[in-house]
Amino acid sequence: MSSFSKRNVIEGLQYARELNAQQWRDNLPTWCPGCGHFTALNGLYEAANKLKIDSKNFVVVSGIGCSGRFPFFINGFGLHTLHGRSIPVATGVKIANPELTVVVVGGDGDGVGIGGGHFPHAARNNFNLSYILLDNNIYGLTKGQISPTSPLGMVSATSPYGNVARPLDPTSLAIVYGATFVARVFSKQRDLVSDVILQAIEHRGFSFVHDLSPCVEFNKLVTYKSWNDRVQPLPDEYEATDKITALQYAQTTDPIYLGVFYREDSPTFDDYMAHTRKQALKK
Ligand code: SF4
Ligand code: MG
């Protein structure tokens, strides 16, 4: 075991202990020590605490994968749905009761592979919910197959001679799909993750957080170290208001920029529905 992975184990155990102290904790997370997902879970706890969300009005919806376990670890309502179907279920929850704070959590395979068809429509409808995509560039739960975000040439259980498909970048997709809040974070930077998740939940409309969240068990190519060597905050003078600029920064792979790429205030799906109801009644 390298010194780096030893540190990951220690950090993982430390996170688990700290999570114990939070009122939002429910069940001890069962992820591998050092898994990047601990950071986003901690960020969700902190955001829920700071925003003083009533646990009766907090719903976490997940798909399948290691990230799919999120609802079990949060003291609120949760739905562990089918693979790739967390977004449509979450939009149904939100439409049924717009008062709820709804957060969708999923992995790269779940979100831009198996459920890839749902993401654009949630974004372009500007549903008032938050989507946290935990990207480890691999299918972790099923022990290491290439995913839609795996790098070209990556050797895995399903690509013994190297991945031949070019990777998708979820941040860029969210910008192009019309999400009204788009950010990228890295699980090694706990403060950034917590701060951005809080901003995403506060945002009115569809907010998207792309979390680079290493799988310490099955991805030996894309790791804390390999990402840590490349990530960089968006420049101080960066303004998150222009889509073309946002896309240019999102598409840059060296460095990989972190921060809030884009945000806009626009009517949400709820607003359009209220308008539609009014027009229909008038008629
Ligand atoms: Fe995390 Fe990978 Fe372990 Fe799953 S297999 S819990 S993604 S480290
Ligand atoms: Mg994955």
Side-chain angles (χ1 to χ4, degrees):
M1 184 184 281
S2 71
S3 61
F4 198 86
S5 55
K6 265 183 203 158
R7 189 162 69 240
N8 289 349
V9 170
I10 293 163
E11 280 179 3
L13 293 173
Q14 203 179 338
Y15 287 171
R17 267 203 303 277
E18 286 173 23
L19 296 178
N20 253 333
Q22 303 277 346
Q23 68 182 68
W24 284 93
R25 186 194 73 81
D26 198 1
N27 298 314
L28 195 62
T30 50
W31 296 310
C32 310
C35 174
H37 298 359
F38 282 100
T39 312
L41 182 63
N42 186 63
L44 256 189
Y45 290 159
E46 288 188 358
N49 268 338
K50 283 188 185 151
L51 295 171
K52 299 197 188 321
I53 298 171
D54 184 340
S55 62
K56 293 197 290 300
N57 290 329
F58 194 52
V59 186
V60 179
V61 185
S62 68
I64 298 297
C66 293
S67 57
R69 296 180 180 145
F70 252 73
F72 298 105
F73 310 143
I74 293 178
N75 184 14
F77 285 98
L79 280 159
H80 189 190
T81 69
L82 300 176
H83 213 344
R85 308 299 166 230
S86 53
I87 288 180
V89 172
T91 54
V93 170
K94 187 67 184 174
I95 290 168
N97 186 351
E99 299 306 311
L100 299 173
T101 299
V102 181
V103 177
V104 183
V105 182
D108 39 317
D110 190 76
V112 291
I114 290 160
H118 300 299
F119 184 12
H121 304 291
R124 74 192 184 90
N125 276 288
N126 203 20
F127 286 112
N128 192 10
L129 47 85
S130 306
Y131 180 25
I132 303 169
L133 191 146
L134 302 167
D135 187 2
N136 49 24
N137 288 197
I138 204 151
Y139 282 91
L141 185 72
T142 45
K143 300 185 167 42
Q145 297 80 21
I146 49 163
S147 84
T149 60
S150 301
L152 257 180
M154 180 166 150
V155 173
S156 77
T158 46
S159 57
Y161 304 108
N163 178 24
V164 297
R166 281 165 292 182
L168 294 171
D169 170 45
T171 302
S172 304
L173 291 176
I175 295 165
V176 171
Y177 290 163
T180 52
F181 179 101
V182 182
R184 187 193 283 137
V185 295
F186 172 37
S187 273
K188 195 169 170 57
Q189 301 182 6
R190 290 182 69 185
D191 289 347
L192 178 71
V193 173
S194 296
D195 177 52
V196 166
I197 289 178
L198 188 141
Q199 289 186 54
I201 294 177
E202 276 186 315
H203 175 77
R204 199 165 175 280
F206 186 81
S207 54
F208 178 71
V209 180
H210 178 198
D211 182 9
L212 309 179
S213 180
C215 170
V216 295
E217 193 60 38
F218 294 109
N219 196 335
K220 304 300 180 194
L221 181 69
V222 185
T223 62
Y224 279 100
K225 175 150 183 17
S226 73
W227 263 326
N228 200 46
D229 290 346
R230 289 163 69 199
V231 294
Q232 193 170 298
L234 285 164
D236 288 343
E237 66 278 10
Y238 183 86
E239 287 182 20
T241 51
D242 178 61
K243 278 194 185 186
I244 302 298
T245 310
L247 198 54
Q248 278 169 350
Y249 277 92
Q251 284 279 291
T252 304
T253 52
D254 203 1
I256 299 171
Y257 286 105
L258 303 178
V260 178
F261 285 74
Y262 184 73
R263 72 166 93 215
E264 71 176 58
D265 289 326
S266 284
T268 65
F269 182 84
D270 304 346
D271 297 331
Y272 285 120
M273 276 300 107
H275 176 73
T276 303
R277 258 184 236 115
K278 216 188 268 174
Q279 295 304 314
L281 281 173
K282 243 195 240 169
K283 203 171 178 186

